[in-house]
Amino acid sequence: MDLILLLEGLKTIFQPYNFLITCFGVAMGILFGALPGINASMGVALLLPLTYNMTPVAAMAMLLGIYCGAMYGGSITAILINTPGTTAAVCTAIDGYQLALKGKAGKALGISNIASFIGGIFSVIVLMILAPLLASVALKFGPPEYFGLTIFGLSIITSLAGEHLIKGLISGVFGLMLGTVGLDMINGSPRYTFGQINLYDGISFIPVLIGLFAISQVLLNAESPESLSLKKARIGFFEQLPTFAEIKSVMKSIINSSVIGTLIGILPGAGATIASFICYNEAKRWSKHPEEFGNGSLEGVAAPEAGNNAATGGAMVPLLSLGIPGSETTAVLLGAFMIQGINPGPLLFRDHIDLVYGIYAGLLLANLAFLIMGLFSVNLFVKVIQIPYRILLPLIVALAFVGSYSVKNSLFDVGLMLAFGVLGYFMKKLQFPTAPVALALVLGPMAEGSLRRALIMSRGSWLIFIQRPITLLLLMLTVLSLLFPIIRDKVSRRKITTNI
Amino acid sequence: MGKTAGKMAEIIGGLIALVMALLWLVMSFSLDQNNIGGSLGLGPGFFPRLISCIMIILCVPYFLQIYRSKNRDVKIQISKIAFLMIVVCILYVLLLNVIGYVITTFLYVMVSIYILGGKSSLSDVIAALIIVATLYGVFRLVLLVPLPSGIFI
């Protein structure tokens, strides 16, 4: 990590436009996070089209602002009305709502905010140290290694997505099939385009993303479009500030959760939600007062919140250094890079190091921004999220329409978005996870390209994948990650039968 | 309110995946016929063939799982509201180039608000106007994205 470059990055991010756009992103993120049924990946996908004409730093800073803001925002509704705004805030609701019932909502919100901030900053520091190291290793990667990496990423995402391994795999393979649509990457012949010129470039990623993540969710929400009604509680500023003793009591949990959350974020396929659950459980296990968990324990709020924000910086590690998205939201961020014409990965560190440090600075600013916004204007957010869903949902759809249109000025893309929205709706109904489709759509062509290039390198010999140590390791990890859910199911089933 | 499906829906879903995989598989052979770079390694048909075979193989445990879980019933309900929303969205796409962005979007928002339970009160109309104005302003004027203009704006 180079401090001079970091200072340059900070200088860039504090330019008025970049500063404002980051804060805008954070504010939007808090709103998206707080609103139940609307989450970070949806928010990033929806506002992604706004970044077309932005500089790379501004674009990434805004979108990362949404990501970080949403991880804090989810706790607002979790605490106030026991309805987590994002799945990453489910654990926060357990103790947070209890605290609210005892009249300590402000305290819970304050702890949540501060814990999120500490977790987030910690993960950014880890990112700044780890990403360049990984990138320098990856610079030596050739096509076989990239094949191993993309396959590993695909396997983790499909196997961890959802409870049913088979359905996750089917979603993933479906995404792979979609990825083959378009002109062949090596000899240019059209594949699966069915005569549609619009498909020659492949199935446009952004409309699919917006459709799968945003539209499908809107359709689900449409089934019960009641609006939230929060009590007219005014949260005072000083209410939120914890006492010295309170900080001391939660500090250990926050630090533990920051570490755990960052590590889980780094792992492709595991993100903020899993991080929050694990951090909550670990905090309970190591707490001096485990009996308080479930009854309004401050640790019970601090731990998952630190964890879910720590996962944001962690998830950026594989994205920046390897170009592999590890979660829904980072897959959307990958799309943002693609729009800017930049490929994340080791070459990013070689050719666009200023952008990398701009991203670091943006993350630092984003974390600071939600801390301040949360402490000073939480009441404003509470007011805004009471917008009726009957107005909010059409707004989202209208935004999705114009966003998808603006990619290529193409109504075909809008139709594509709608088709995938409806598809995603049915997939969710049938409990097929949707994230693997989007990720496979991106990783599939990468995998195929690496595979074919590797075999050209080896002149047709498949042994190349076993002869190169890193590739072999990655392929073994792939097999492990596919077996993991099966083993996990067998173990839990055995536990059930032995307990009878 | 709405149709209840269950296992039938899961079966249909699986069949769609299966049919798609078969389609991909069959078409993959004709892809290789066009392959000029046969000596350059794998042709364009290899990967699609591979993944469609994997999909077909995956369908076996999938259908088995459905067959075995006789008691667990996945209740699917497609609500009328969601269905209406989809129809309105389709109309939105179709009319965009005909009537133009601003009016179509305004109509869309108004109708959707109504479907979702609004009573077309004045505040709803104002909200719709604000939405359309903001989107038009941001995308057309600030980002300079040309928006579909039909007969009207």
Side-chain angles (χ1 to χ4, degrees):
Chain A
M1 179 173 67
D2 191 324
L3 280 172
I4 300 189
L5 284 175
L6 182 61
L7 273 170
E8 282 298 318
L10 285 167
K11 254 173 54 183
T12 314
I13 210 74
F14 276 96
Q15 285 167 9
Y17 177 72
N18 295 335
F19 180 79
L20 285 172
I21 210 78
T22 311
C23 294
F24 171 71
V26 173
M28 287 289 110
I30 299 180
L31 287 174
F32 283 124
L35 285 161
I38 297 165
N39 58 16
S41 54
M42 214 172 130
V44 180
L46 280 172
L47 294 186
L48 186 61
L50 290 176
T51 64
Y52 296 156
N53 291 334
M54 290 186 195
T55 60
V57 176
M60 298 314 297
M62 182 185 94
L63 297 174
L64 287 168
I66 299 176
Y67 194 16
C68 296
M71 288 304 130
Y72 158 65
S75 65
I76 298 181
T77 34
I79 292 171
L80 290 179
I81 52 172
N82 202 19
T83 314
T86 48
T87 46
V90 167
C91 291
T92 315
I94 302 176
D95 282 276
Y97 185 60
Q98 294 302 316
L99 283 164
L101 289 177
K102 292 185 189 166
K104 289 189 179 173
K107 187 62 55 108
L109 284 168
I111 290 278
S112 156
N113 198 350
I114 294 173
S116 298
F117 172 71
I118 297 178
I121 295 288
F122 178 83
S123 69
V124 178
I125 296 176
V126 171
L127 169 68
M128 292 195 282
I129 299 175
L130 204 53
L133 292 175
L134 263 178
S136 62
V137 170
L139 266 172
K140 307 192 193 108
F141 278 12
E145 281 76 31
Y146 268 104
F147 176 68
L149 197 55
T150 46
I151 291 290
F152 176 55
L154 279 167
S155 69
I156 292 220
I157 290 152
T158 47
S159 59
L160 285 185
E163 298 169 15
H164 313 277
L165 173 64
I166 295 289
K167 287 185 175 172
L169 285 174
I170 290 184
S171 292
V173 178
F174 173 65
L176 287 178
M177 286 164 67
L178 291 176
T180 59
V181 175
L183 296 180
D184 182 69
M185 59 192 73
I186 293 191
N187 69 8
S189 52
R191 299 196 299 182
Y192 303 102
T193 54
F194 301 102
Q196 270 283 0
I197 305 182
N198 284 304
L199 290 176
Y200 274 19
D201 263 336
I203 296 186
S204 312
F205 181 54
I206 308 287
V208 169
L209 216 51
I210 299 179
L212 270 180
F213 292 165
I215 299 291
S216 63
Q217 198 60 42
V218 165
L219 289 172
L220 280 172
N221 287 342
E223 299 182 343
S224 47
E226 297 127 23
S227 42
L228 309 169
S229 65
L230 285 81
K231 288 179 270 196
K232 302 237 165 93
R234 275 200 59 91
I235 313 284
F237 173 77
F238 291 101
E239 250 185 271
Q240 297 178 75
L241 298 178
T243 65
F244 193 64
E246 284 166 340
I247 296 185
K248 218 168 141 203
S249 69
V250 297
M251 208 30 148
K252 201 180 81 166
S253 301
I254 293 182
I255 294 179
N256 287 345
S257 301
S258 301
V259 175
I260 298 175
T262 307
L263 287 173
I264 294 181
I266 292 177
L267 195 63
T273 309
I274 299 185
S276 68
F277 275 90
I278 296 185
C279 290
Y280 182 80
N281 282 323
E282 289 305 301
K284 191 166 165 186
R285 197 137 57 103
W286 293 92
S287 165
K288 293 198 188 110
H289 306 279
E291 69 285 352
E292 281 180 21
F293 278 71
N295 290 325
S297 154
L298 283 176
E299 275 182 292
V301 170
E305 281 302 307
N308 65 26
N309 276 79
T312 58
M316 291 301 288
V317 173
L319 180 66
L320 287 182
S321 60
L322 303 170
I324 305 284
S327 62
E328 268 187 31
T329 317
T330 37
V332 188
L333 289 171
L334 179 65
F337 274 106
M338 281 159 53
I339 290 185
Q340 298 286 333
I342 297 178
N343 281 325
L347 293 180
L348 187 69
F349 287 77
R350 193 189 66 182
D351 303 331
H352 299 279
I353 194 74
D354 52 334
L355 172 61
V356 175
Y357 278 90
I359 291 177
Y360 295 160
L363 276 167
L364 289 170
L365 174 60
N367 279 287
L368 186 62
F370 73 68
L371 177 72
I372 298 188
M373 280 189 215
L375 285 177
F376 283 95
S377 39
V378 65
N379 291 304
L380 182 60
F381 286 107
V382 169
K383 202 148 178 232
V384 175
I385 58 181
Q386 296 188 63
I387 178 176
Y389 270 58
R390 67 172 189 277
I391 297 183
L392 182 64
L393 296 180
L395 166 62
I396 292 178
V397 178
L399 180 58
F401 267 69
V402 70
S404 308
Y405 179 80
S406 55
V407 182
K408 284 194 256 173
N409 280 355
S410 149
L411 271 181
F412 180 82
D413 281 349
V414 180
L416 204 60
M417 173 209 73
L418 190 54
F420 275 92
V422 176
L423 175 68
Y425 170 67
F426 284 109
M427 281 176 74
K428 286 183 179 175
K429 285 268 176 189
L430 290 171
Q431 293 174 337
F432 278 88
T434 48
V437 180
L439 286 159
L441 188 56
V442 176
L443 290 178
M446 285 164 81
E448 183 187 1
S450 311
L451 176 67
R452 289 165 79 170
R453 262 177 263 131
L455 285 171
I456 292 178
M457 263 174 80
S458 68
R459 299 179 209 287
S461 160
W462 286 80
L463 288 174
I464 191 171
F465 297 109
I466 318 182
Q467 286 163 344
R468 294 166 72 118
I470 302 184
T471 314
L472 182 59
L473 172 67
L474 288 166
L475 289 175
M476 292 197 304
L477 286 173
T478 305
V479 175
L480 270 175
S481 73
L482 287 171
L483 290 175
F484 176 68
I486 305 179
I487 302 176
R488 180 184 61 188
D489 279 343
K490 290 241 163 73
V491 167
S492 59
R493 232 173 273 167
R494 206 183 302 159
K495 274 201 194 137
I496 296 175
T497 48
T498 51
N499 281 343
I500 292 177
Chain B
M1 173 167 292
K3 294 181 280 198
T4 0
K7 274 212 196 111
M8 187 44 84
E10 283 194 304
I11 295 179
I12 294 180
L15 283 175
I16 294 177
L18 186 58
V19 166
M20 186 177 168
L22 287 168
L23 179 65
W24 248 242
L25 181 61
V26 166
M27 288 180 70
S28 72
F29 291 100
S30 56
L31 287 178
D32 273 338
Q33 281 169 10
N34 300 329
N35 179 28
I36 346 158
S39 56
L40 283 174
L42 300 174
F46 174 76
F47 197 71
R49 207 171 309 140
L50 175 67
I51 57 185
S52 49
C53 287
I54 295 179
M55 181 67 109
I56 294 173
I57 296 175
L58 282 176
C59 287
V60 175
Y62 175 74
F63 284 114
L64 265 175
Q65 223 174 47
I66 300 179
Y67 175 70
R68 269 201 212 128
S69 62
K70 288 204 163 85
N71 297 324
R72 179 196 62 118
D73 198 26
V74 182
K75 282 215 162 40
I76 314 265
Q77 234 172 332
I78 301 165
S79 82
K80 199 163 131 192
I81 302 184
F83 179 70
L84 281 173
M85 285 285 285
I86 295 175
V87 170
V88 174
C89 285
I90 296 178
L91 286 173
Y92 185 12
V93 184
L94 294 173
L95 288 175
L96 261 178
N97 258 345
V98 178
I99 315 183
Y101 181 73
V102 173
I103 302 200
T104 324
T105 306
F106 179 73
L107 285 174
Y108 167 76
V109 175
M110 284 305 307
V111 173
S112 298
I113 294 181
Y114 178 70
I115 294 177
L116 292 169
K119 286 157 215 139
S120 298
S121 58
L122 185 61
S123 62
D124 287 347
V125 178
I126 296 179
L129 283 170
I130 296 179
I131 291 175
V132 179
T134 315
L135 288 175
Y136 183 78
V138 171
F139 279 86
R140 180 78 180 83
L141 304 173
V142 175
L143 297 178
L144 301 173
V145 175
L147 292 175
S149 58
I151 319 174
F152 304 105
I153 186 173

